[in-house]
Amino acid sequence: MVTAVRYLGPNWYASVMGTAALATAGAALGVGGGVHELLVGVWALSLLQLLALLAARALHWAHHPDQARAHLLDPAMAPFYGCLSMALLAVGGGTLALGRDWIGEPAAVALDAVLFVAGTAVGLAAAVAVPYLMAVRHRVEPGQATPVWLLPLVAPMVAAALGLRLVPHLPAGQPRETLLLACFAMFGLSLLATLLMLPLVFARLVTGGPLPLALTPTLFLVLGPLGQSTTAVGAFADVAPGVVPAPYDGGFGLLAVLYGVPVMGFALLWLALAVSHLARARRQGMRFAMTWWAFTFPVGTCVTGAAALGRHTGLAVYDWLAVGLYGLLVIGWVAAASGTVRGLLGGALLAGPRPVPAGPLPVTGRTAPDAVR
């Protein structure tokens, strides 16, 4: 077991995020009956995945500190530390939405609080540490930009959206308002940081040509900050009445529509662009890599964002959009999960890096073998 985890990178937390998103996005559709019970089971699976990966990564750090440090100093792998934060937060958010049916509400609130605090702390640390390392240690160049760079910057947005679920469980008055405004501050932190980074990613795509085949699925990561921010403003509008004074409570309701509608429009544009690049990559022989988990969590945020717009606009088109996007999420999760299981059974995903071929590297940027296996 100790040897098997040597090359287990932080990118594996994306599988936890994807499974949790499958559960919580389904819950956002308001389904009941047997489907709801199935979603509770999916959430339980994400919790088991999280516990197993936390244990495996602890072994990784304890027995392979050289490889762990190498991951931090690798510009292609270090951004995945944002996935640890989002895995904690995603499972925690599902605890109140679904897990309480299994463990009861008091235990669900306690578990969500623990995971929220831990995930937020890790996310804020990653949002500072990873860009710092990129600036002073990684020596990256514009041609190396990929959507993976967004991962540590999106984590505070996930904390902002999911932390709001704890607001009603705090004492009325300043405790509730403090948490809500703290989440709003993280919303702004993540949004502005994403607006700084996204132009680098788009410029790299336009001027440098398509991403390497194994990295093509990461284009879906851009949907993460778009869908999650739309989800967040909808959640602010849901929670703000009675927590913040007028007229600010009504302002959150305006923000949910005036921000959410255009951002969801851009998300759909980017989704079409990402699907087009994906179709091209498949025609050129793209094979399974752990980057396929990018098909899951980002699309899940668009499901919850569309569902939020359906609540606040009253338009059925957004409800149908949420259902359609959830269908894409299911397809993406099945593809990523089946590929991961096959890779684990075959031993390829936990094997060491493949030898680098002799000759010049492509100009499309650096790819870490650990990140895409």
Side-chain angles (χ1 to χ4, degrees):
M1 176 62 181
V2 173
T3 303
V5 300
R6 174 166 176 77
Y7 299 105
L8 186 74
N11 55 318
W12 277 77
Y13 285 112
S15 64
V16 179
M17 296 162 54
T19 303
L22 184 67
T24 54
L29 299 179
V31 295
V35 176
H36 181 82
E37 296 301 320
L38 178 61
L39 294 175
V40 174
V42 174
W43 170 82
L45 175 60
S46 72
L47 177 60
L48 292 176
Q49 283 181 270
L50 176 63
L51 295 175
L53 268 176
L54 288 174
R57 287 285 295 165
L59 287 174
H60 173 85
W61 272 94
H63 295 279
H64 305 289
D66 61 324
Q67 188 67 27
R69 287 192 295 270
H71 285 164
L72 278 172
L73 297 178
D74 185 344
M77 181 62 77
F80 284 99
Y81 273 91
C83 290
L84 168 58
S85 166
M86 291 185 280
L88 294 167
L89 292 165
V91 174
T95 303
L96 279 179
L98 296 162
R100 60 182 174 185
D101 293 354
W102 181 38
I103 62 176
E105 185 163 331
V109 172
L111 179 58
D112 187 20
V114 170
L115 293 176
F116 171 72
V117 171
T120 300
V122 172
L124 292 175
V128 175
V130 174
Y132 174 80
L133 288 173
M134 293 175 70
V136 304
R137 296 294 298 274
H138 291 168
R139 299 296 186 268
V140 295
E141 298 189 9
Q144 295 175 287
T146 73
V148 171
W149 289 8
L150 294 170
L151 287 172
L153 306 179
V154 179
M157 184 68 76
V158 179
L162 297 180
L164 295 171
R165 298 186 179 189
L166 289 169
V167 169
H169 299 280
L170 292 176
Q174 289 209 8
R176 292 185 181 181
E177 186 174 359
T178 299
L179 179 56
L180 187 147
L181 293 183
C183 289
F184 197 45
M186 289 189 289
F187 167 87
L189 178 161
S190 180
L191 178 63
L192 295 176
T194 298
L195 291 177
L196 290 174
M197 189 68 75
L198 189 56
L200 297 177
V201 175
F202 187 67
R204 153 66 186 84
L205 190 64
V206 172
T207 62
L211 295 176
L213 296 184
L215 288 178
T216 300
T218 65
L219 289 172
F220 285 77
L221 294 177
V222 176
L223 297 174
L226 303 175
Q228 195 67 69
S229 61
T230 304
T231 302
V233 292
F236 282 120
D238 293 336
V239 175
V243 175
V244 295
Y248 305 113
D249 56 348
F252 282 112
L254 291 174
L255 184 66
V257 176
L258 297 183
Y259 174 90
V261 170
V263 170
M264 182 57 63
F266 179 67
L268 294 176
L269 170 66
W270 191 273
L271 176 61
L273 178 66
V275 170
S276 300
H277 277 262
L278 181 65
R280 173 190 174 275
R282 288 293 288 171
R283 289 195 302 270
Q284 295 193 354
M286 183 187 74
R287 297 184 178 182
F288 174 77
M290 285 298 289
T291 52
W292 283 31
W293 284 102
F295 300 146
T296 57
F297 188 83
V299 178
T301 67
C302 292
V303 174
T304 55
L309 286 174
R311 291 196 309 272
H312 291 285
T313 64
L315 295 177
V317 64
Y318 285 113
D319 296 328
W320 286 109
L321 175 62
V323 173
L325 290 171
Y326 190 74
L328 293 179
L329 171 59
V330 172
I331 294 171
W333 185 88
V334 170
S338 59
T340 301
V341 171
R342 287 195 303 269
L344 284 173
L345 294 178
L349 288 181
L350 293 178
R354 293 181 290 273
V356 178
L361 293 175
V363 297
T364 50
R366 181 181 177 195
T367 302
D370 290 340
V372 299
R373 269 203 322 272

